[in-house]
């Protein structure tokens, strides 16, 4: 197993007086797909927001490539190579596909390679190339998800955080997103994915964590967890 690119140690976080994450720890090995699975409200999105610097933890430590980024602002995390594709896509609806992508490459290190990054995104998602001048808000849900992923890739991330990337998508579009995630891993990218489709996520992931009530309940190789009786009963309906 590769060394961790991201290490989370005993993170506690929430919103005001409401605590969501309770001493949560995990590690994401470099070059892997690591899955985060759990029911709605378990804390997956809160963890993603903490990692992206959108929610400040009350306690604990986050290390990215050996450096403590616990108190680093979001823009410095992006510049260091950590990018979030948020739940709900959150594209800029009145801007074109091309302009949405351009905004993903705002960091100085990404701007110098923006043209090459755009070409890579269009190679991954030819439909976006066909719609490059179209307003993002007029795209289908699946096309908007392609755009959200593409915008994240424009930042030239070393670690891509994917929060519910197939939520609300038709099965064929969801399969395409999962295939893209696997392709990115095979190209060397490190990915942490939070996803409701547990069956498919565990099929493509290398390792996985099960989060319940803001704590890690189980962890291990994705194939092992896929055969775990508790996981099969709670998440796979078997």
């Amino acid at each position: 197993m590769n060394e961790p690119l991201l290490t989370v140690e005993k993170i506690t976080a929430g919103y005001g007086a409401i605590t969501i994450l309770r001493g949560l720890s995990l590690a994401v090995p470099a070059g892997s797909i690591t899955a985060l699975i759990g029911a709605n409200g378990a804390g997956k999105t809160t963890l993603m927001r903490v990692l992206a610097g959108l929610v400040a933890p009350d306690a604990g430590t986050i290390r990215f490539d050996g450096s403590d980024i616990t108190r680093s602002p979001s823009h410095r995390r992006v510049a260091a190579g950590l990018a979030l594709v948020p739940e709900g896509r959150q594209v800029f609806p009145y801007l074109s596909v091309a302009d949405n992508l351009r905004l993903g490459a705002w960091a100085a290190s990404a701007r110098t390679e923006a043209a090459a990054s755009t070409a890579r995104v269009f190679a991954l998602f030819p439909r976006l190339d066909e719609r490059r001048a179209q307003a993002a808000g007029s795209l289908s849900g699946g096309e908007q998800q392609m755009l959200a992923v593409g915008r994240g890739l424009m930042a030239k991330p070393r670690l891509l955080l994917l929060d519910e990337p197939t939520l609300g998508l038709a099965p064929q579009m969801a399969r395409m997103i999962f295939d893209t995630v696997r392709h990115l891993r095979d190209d060397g990218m490190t990915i942490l994915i939070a996803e409701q489709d547990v069956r498919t996520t565990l099929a493509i992931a290398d390792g996985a964590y099960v989060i319940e009530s803001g704590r890690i309940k189980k962890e291990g190789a994705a194939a092992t967890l896929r055969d775990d009786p508790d996981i099969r009963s709670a998440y796979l309906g078997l």
Side-chain angles (χ1 to χ4, degrees), residues 12-82:
T12 297
Y15 307 94
I18 301 174
T19 299
I20 305 296
L21 305 179
R22 304 173 185 274
L24 182 149
S25 298
L26 57 76
V28 179
S32 73
I33 298 173
T34 300
L36 186 68
I37 62 176
N40 288 332
K44 302 187 301 298
T45 292
T46 299
L47 176 60
M48 291 293 196
R49 290 174 61 82
V50 168
L51 296 177
L54 302 175
V55 173
D58 299 314
T61 304
I62 304 168
R63 295 186 181 279
F64 181 62
D65 197 21
S67 297
D68 187 340
I69 63 167
T70 311
R71 302 299 168 189
S72 295
S74 295
H75 68 276
R76 291 187 179 173
R77 300 186 194 200
V78 174
L82 192 156

Side-chain angles (χ1 to χ4, degrees), residues 53-221:
L54 302 175
V55 173
D58 299 314
T61 304
I62 304 168
R63 295 186 181 279
F64 181 62
D65 197 21
S67 297
D68 187 340
I69 63 167
T70 311
R71 302 299 168 189
S72 295
S74 295
H75 68 276
R76 291 187 179 173
R77 300 186 194 200
V78 174
L82 192 156
L84 170 66
V85 178
E87 180 182 2
R89 301 181 276 277
Q90 298 185 29
V91 299
F92 297 97
Y94 300 111
L95 297 182
S96 69
V97 166
D99 284 342
N100 268 269
L101 293 177
R102 192 173 295 115
L103 286 173
W106 70 267
S109 58
R111 283 198 301 271
T112 60
E113 300 183 46
S117 296
T118 301
R120 181 190 185 198
V121 170
F122 285 157
L124 277 173
F125 303 117
R127 201 173 303 184
L128 294 182
D129 191 6
E130 298 168 2
R131 291 157 172 72
R132 63 171 66 197
Q134 190 170 324
S138 67
L139 301 177
S140 70
E143 291 165 347
Q144 289 187 23
Q145 188 60 63
M146 294 179 200
L147 180 56
V149 174
R151 184 180 58 193
L153 294 176
M154 291 294 294
K156 301 292 290 182
R158 299 166 60 203
L159 171 60
L160 188 65
L161 307 174
L162 296 173
D163 191 6
E164 304 287 359
T166 72
L167 184 66
L169 299 187
Q172 181 177 1
M173 189 63 68
R175 284 194 297 271
M176 186 275 297
I177 294 294
F178 280 123
D179 287 343
T180 300
V181 172
R182 184 162 37 199
H183 173 75
L184 292 172
R185 186 271 316 277
D186 291 345
D187 274 355
M189 186 170 292
T190 306
I191 296 165
L192 177 63
I193 179 172
E195 176 58 54
Q196 288 289 315
D197 184 346
V198 174
R199 186 188 304 273
T200 307
T201 303
L202 290 179
I204 68 167
D206 301 291
Y209 290 86
V210 180
I211 182 172
E212 291 188 6
S213 301
R215 296 182 174 90
I216 298 300
K217 181 180 180 181
K218 293 193 175 188
E219 62 182 274

